[in-house]
Amino acid sequence: MSKIPIYNIQNFNCETTHDDLYVNTFKNHLKNHDFIEKPHRHDFYLLVLFTEGSGIHEIDFDSYSIQKGSLFMIQPGQIHNWRLSKDIDGYIVFYSQDIYNLYFGNKTIEEYLFFKSTKSNPEILFDKEEFEEIKVYFELMLKENSFSKFKRNDKILNLLDTINIEISRKYNLENNHKTSIYNHKIDQFEKLIEKNYKIEKSPSFYASKMNITLKHLNRICKTILNQTVTNIITKRVVLEAKRLLVDKNKSISQVADELGFDNYAYFAKIFKKENGISAKEFRTGLNP
């Protein structure tokens, strides 16, 4: 398998006047963009609500069943692809981090728990009543997008935020997320991992950066995420290793090097411990 393509919103022949926003039915979207059925990444956020059909959605090497009422929330950088029935349909929305954060100002898209890297589940299934309620907002976005009216993007973005609020209510309830005095520390920890995981894998490094003891950081992680600091760092490193291993033009030793491992044997050891198979076996399984 060759290097995974990374698409931006401009790759999708947007019908909106703004390059950072895209709204369409899923069926119409597929007519000109069937390449999305192959593994790829985006540099933007994506929401898909399915109204008809079935299939499989693979996201960062996990598989999810598609059915009426399935809603998926994809973050920038995630690898995903679809296997879809011929009668598939729904709504699809793309938006950049910048357009959302600049518009709302007092809040950011990253604040929603379903876009938190260590806490997120990318799928929600709405029951019949919930589906009919949230479907209305997608339909209004699509309708607004079809006209060149005054403040069109403003209305679309406010409808988008309403959808995110509805998702958040259901997501938080299903995943038992509770407000905690530790939440801001988890957010700080996640941001530090994203910035440093390729060069710093020591739990004490992150505790030091946060001006707390490692014991306290472990307590926070166990309380909120039921994982140790080491587990969280390792999972992030191994996820990126999987993403890099998809590119078969890159050797496994090059992947280890890119992730900051001076000792290839140590990389191989933690990869197998986390996945139950070696990096070579994982790569072979991607495309037997």
Side-chain angles (χ1 to χ4, degrees), residues 30-45:
L30 276 180
K31 287 179 181 178
N32 296 316
H33 311 116
D34 58 358
F35 57 82
I36 69 168
E37 295 189 61
K38 297 179 181 179
H40 61 282
R41 296 189 187 196
H42 302 291
D43 66 358
F44 51 84
Y45 289 89

Side-chain angles (χ1 to χ4, degrees), residues 12-210:
F12 294 89
N13 300 321
C14 300
E15 296 178 1
T16 61
T17 57
H18 203 298
D19 287 341
D20 289 338
L21 191 60
Y22 173 84
V23 183
N24 207 342
T25 65
F26 199 82
K27 184 178 289 185
N28 285 338
H29 179 72
L30 276 180
K31 287 179 181 178
N32 296 316
H33 311 116
D34 58 358
F35 57 82
I36 69 168
E37 295 189 61
K38 297 179 181 179
H40 61 282
R41 296 189 187 196
H42 302 291
D43 66 358
F44 51 84
Y45 289 89
L46 180 154
L47 294 178
V48 181
L49 175 68
F50 285 100
T51 59
E52 302 290 343
S54 61
I56 298 295
H57 190 185
E58 294 187 355
I59 308 170
D60 275 338
F61 316 102
D62 290 324
S63 295
Y64 302 88
S65 296
I66 296 169
Q67 58 185 295
K68 182 177 179 179
S70 295
L71 187 143
F72 293 94
M73 307 86 71
I74 307 298
Q75 305 177 52
Q78 290 187 299
I79 292 178
H80 75 127
N81 62 283
W82 320 81
R83 297 198 300 273
L84 306 164
S85 63
K86 292 183 178 180
D87 61 339
I88 201 75
D89 203 2
Y91 304 94
I92 187 164
V93 181
F94 302 157
Y95 57 102
S96 71
Q97 181 186 57
D98 286 347
I99 193 173
Y100 186 96
N101 291 355
L102 289 172
Y103 183 78
F104 289 102
N106 64 333
K107 63 179 177 179
T108 66
I109 188 61
E110 306 97 298
E111 292 175 19
Y112 285 108
L113 285 176
F114 51 85
F115 283 139
K116 298 284 187 184
S117 59
T118 59
K119 291 180 278 189
S120 61
N121 184 334
E123 175 204 30
I124 283 183
L125 179 62
F126 289 95
D127 63 30
K128 185 176 180 180
E129 182 178 347
E130 294 167 335
F131 169 74
E132 293 300 331
E133 289 178 359
I134 200 164
K135 177 183 173 183
V136 171
Y137 299 118
F138 282 94
E139 189 61 39
L140 285 170
M141 289 180 72
L142 191 66
K143 182 178 180 181
E144 189 66 26
N145 188 56
S146 66
F147 300 109
S148 298
K149 291 185 177 181
F150 179 63
K151 288 188 174 292
R152 176 176 67 171
N153 281 351
D154 294 60
K155 184 171 181 179
I156 291 174
L157 284 165
N158 279 286
L159 286 166
L160 171 62
D161 194 48
T162 300
I163 290 170
N164 283 335
I165 290 170
E166 292 300 318
I167 295 170
S168 184
R169 287 174 175 174
K170 183 173 177 65
Y171 183 90
N172 292 4
L173 181 65
E174 289 189 350
N175 291 277
N176 296 316
H177 286 303
K178 300 176 182 179
T179 301
S180 168
I181 58 172
Y182 290 152
N183 279 344
H184 72 287
K185 286 294 185 184
I186 288 293
D187 292 342
Q188 184 185 2
F189 179 40
E190 288 185 329
K191 288 175 182 176
L192 283 169
I193 290 176
E194 285 302 309
K195 184 178 179 181
N196 298 286
Y197 72 89
K198 290 185 179 181
I199 56 173
E200 290 289 351
K201 298 169 181 63
S202 167
S204 59
F205 167 83
Y206 294 95
S208 176
K209 282 288 185 180
M210 295 171 67

Side-chain angles (χ1 to χ4, degrees), residues 117-118 186 189-190 193 217 221-222 225-237:
S117 59
T118 59
I186 288 293
F189 179 40
E190 288 185 329
I193 290 176
L217 180 55
C221 291
K222 288 291 287 184
L225 304 173
N226 196 30
Q227 298 180 64
T228 66
V229 175
T230 299
N231 290 154
I232 295 167
I233 298 168
T234 300
K235 285 180 183 296
R236 181 63 187 93
V237 173

